[in-house]
Amino acid sequence: MAAYPQNLDAPDETYVDFWREYHLCTLTTPRPDGTPHVVPVGVTYDPAQRLARVIASRTSRKVRNVLAAGAEGARVAVCQVDRARWATLEGRAVVRTEPERVADAERRYAERYGRTPSPNPERVVIEITLTRAMGRG
């Protein structure tokens, strides 16, 4: 098993494989008052681009939290756990509304989770530019 921390430029293959398996995750965003907001989500990890993606409705609290952080984005974390295996990705999140980015995130979600998300005209993607990775895959 890989041990933390992970090198974002060359993550351990078992760590990357763990992020390809079907696991529900959590996303932690800061509320405007600074307290953490933690919700279950599906996450996809793109080690080549150093990005994690979460699809969401533009009216959700998680999206509103990221938007409230301003143009620089919000510092967030996504995490998944399976017994003794765990993985956390941290970074700066922004909300993307471009149709091609949303479609790409939906495609990646379908690959990881084995189902195409139902249509949602309010869908956006939270893109997290990664600054840290840790865990044991």
Side-chain angles (χ1 to χ4, degrees):
M1 281 196 209
Y4 89 98
Q6 290 289 320
N7 179 345
L8 282 171
D9 293 322
D12 188 280
E13 192 58 34
T14 59
Y15 187 80
V16 174
D17 288 344
F18 185 40
W19 280 103
R20 291 183 182 124
E21 296 172 10
Y22 184 109
H23 293 286
L24 293 179
C25 305
T26 60
L27 167 67
T28 304
T29 59
R31 292 184 183 101
D33 69 2
T35 60
H37 174 72
V38 184
V39 292
V41 293
V43 176
T44 60
Y45 172 39
D46 182 349
Q49 293 189 31
R50 291 176 71 160
L51 284 177
R53 295 175 180 87
V54 175
I55 57 175
S57 180
R58 75 178 67 242
T59 59
S60 68
R61 167 52 58 196
K62 58 187 161 282
V63 168
R64 288 182 289 151
N65 286 345
V66 172
L67 291 172
E72 285 187 22
R75 294 184 56 117
V76 304
V78 291
C79 183
Q80 66 182 21
V81 177
D82 179 38
R83 298 183 183 249
R85 298 184 307 157
W86 63 276
T88 299
L89 299 169
E90 298 177 10
R92 186 76 61 180
V94 295
V95 176
R96 301 287 188 200
T97 60
E98 301 90 341
E100 65 278 2
R101 287 185 185 247
V102 174
D104 180 52
E106 290 172 330
R107 180 187 58 77
R108 291 169 186 274
Y109 178 95
E111 285 175 12
R112 180 172 189 198
Y113 291 101
R115 69 172 196 84
T116 301
S118 55
N120 178 354
E122 296 294 310
R123 182 162 291 130
V124 296
V125 58
I126 297 171
E127 284 188 357
I128 306 163
T129 300
L130 301 174
T131 57
R132 180 179 294 160
M134 59 190 124
R136 293 169 38 137

